[in-house]
Amino acid sequence: MMLRRNPETSVLRLGPLSGVALLAAGCIYAPERTIPDPLPEVRAWALAERPAGAFLGLTLVENDSGSLEDLSFAAGLRVAKVVANSPAAQAGVQLEDVLVEADGAELFAPEDMSALLAAKGAGERILLAVQRGDTVFDVPVELTDSGAGAATVKPLYHLDPARTRAAWADGDRGAILVARPDAGPMRNMPIGTLVTAVDGAPILSGHGLVRDLARREPGADVELRGQTPAGEAETFEVRLLSEGRVVTRASVPVLFTYDANLEADRRSFVLLDLWLISLLRYERDGGERRWSVLRFFQWSSGVGELGG
């Protein structure tokens, strides 16, 4: 999973006085964002294998800012590799180009391009809108055979704890809702619904939907259009999660250090950290919790614990 930061999440670095005030006020916890696992029967029909489709010859990554201090994402996919003599190379696509659109559809995640290529065959064309520097131009590409037998890793689904609190799979030119809690923005959408558009703009994959919604303001109202498992076309009005800002890092040298990774569901707290030894260390990684007192007394519970 790539490192990313939600727009409503900020990193706080506190001085000694403000750190003491925070410690006296108590701990600040991240909001509840758990998403249930998809049921086995849902995975059986919603996560079917997709045909390989045609070959373009590009390795694409999300179009991020490239700065860990101010990590942000824009629409489009950045070219990380161009296969020599591939259709894309012959059409003139270069390293670090940004693919803004393909066949008129905006691109948000590499899975979006995979969805388009899955529907095409050798000899067909795809029209790319390519940005190079401050110029955007159209690049028609004639595709070739995908080369059966090439090893691929297909993700099962993509988690969105920040906007919909749901899990989305890559569907046939859309995003399939495969899991959600009973309470949350997607509570009225049936499991298995194929979402094909957000506010009228086409959605090509589950990851594309997650990336598209991440660009929007927390608490925004969006219209999701799609098809329910019963085959009925339906439109859902959804208000995206808005949970405010949470502390992801706070420290007072020697006294304490608090770190949190919201997307990876990790927390750590160290009290009286003297580098070689600490009075108390607490870590949580998903369902596993670990404690250490003076580094000599350690125990853990939850996921990862060995049972007798």
Side-chain angles (χ1 to χ4, degrees):
M1 180 177 289
M2 293 182 64
L3 174 65
R4 58 178 70 97
R5 188 187 71 182
N6 295 327
E8 72 274 20
T9 302
S10 62
V11 176
L12 263 58
R13 292 180 175 86
L14 306 175
L17 293 180
S18 54
V20 171
L22 175 63
L23 185 62
C27 297
I28 298 178
Y29 294 95
E32 177 62 43
R33 290 182 171 181
T34 55
I35 301 171
D37 292 331
L39 297 174
E41 57 267 28
V42 173
R43 294 177 61 176
W45 57 263
L47 308 180
E49 286 293 327
R50 179 187 292 167
F55 177 64
L56 178 62
L58 295 176
T59 298
L60 302 170
V61 297
E62 294 175 357
N63 187 22
D64 62 59
S65 62
S67 170
L68 291 179
E69 293 297 323
D70 186 22
L71 190 60
S72 61
F73 294 86
L77 299 175
R78 190 173 301 277
V79 177
K81 179 181 178 181
V82 182
V83 178
N85 300 318
S86 66
Q90 293 174 4
V93 179
Q94 299 180 10
L95 196 67
E96 293 301 315
D97 283 349
V98 174
L99 306 190
V100 182
E101 294 182 353
D103 282 349
E106 260 193 305
L107 302 172
F108 295 100
E111 289 81 0
D112 292 347
M113 181 61 74
S114 298
L116 289 171
L117 295 177
K120 293 183 177 291
E124 293 190 61
R125 288 194 166 215
I126 188 169
L127 181 62
L128 305 177
V130 178
Q131 179 178 346
R132 184 176 300 159
D134 58 1
T135 303
V136 178
F137 47 94
D138 286 337
V139 179
V141 182
E142 184 171 333
L143 303 169
T144 59
D145 186 80
S146 62
T152 58
V153 178
K154 181 180 183 299
L156 292 177
Y157 50 86
H158 310 275
L159 300 176
D160 177 24
R163 293 293 184 269
T164 61
R165 201 176 161 209
W168 301 91
D170 300 325
D172 183 13
R173 298 292 291 269
I176 301 176
L177 177 66
V178 296
R180 53 145 175 78
D182 293 333
M186 310 312 301
R187 59 187 176 276
N188 295 324
M189 181 179 287
I191 295 294
T193 297
L194 174 68
V195 174
T196 56
V198 177
D199 289 339
I203 286 295
L204 301 175
S205 69
H207 199 187
L209 174 64
V210 173
R211 297 292 348 133
D212 182 6
L213 297 181
R215 302 186 310 149
R216 300 169 185 262
E217 289 294 324
D221 292 322
V222 298
E223 181 184 271
L224 303 182
R225 189 173 69 236
Q227 181 176 317
T228 66
E232 301 175 348
E234 194 164 343
T235 298
F236 298 87
E237 299 291 339
V238 175
R239 175 160 294 177
L240 303 180
L241 284 175
S242 177
E243 296 167 327
R245 296 176 181 269
V246 298
V247 175
T248 56
R249 178 171 176 79
S251 67
V252 176
V254 179
L255 185 58
F256 80 96
T257 301
Y258 170 78
D259 273 298
N261 184 323
L262 300 183
E263 293 235 352
D265 193 22
R266 296 192 185 100
R267 304 285 189 277
S268 69
F269 178 78
V270 182
L271 182 63
L272 293 183
D273 189 0
L274 302 177
W275 294 281
L276 294 179
I277 195 169
S278 58
L279 175 62
L280 172 68
R281 180 180 296 270
Y282 167 78
E283 296 177 341
R284 178 167 71 83
D285 188 351
E288 184 177 9
R289 289 161 173 78
R290 297 182 289 271
W291 292 265
S292 173
V293 178
L294 296 175
R295 292 191 185 273
F296 302 110
F297 307 97
Q298 302 179 10
W299 66 99
S300 63
S301 67
V303 178
E305 183 180 34
L306 296 178

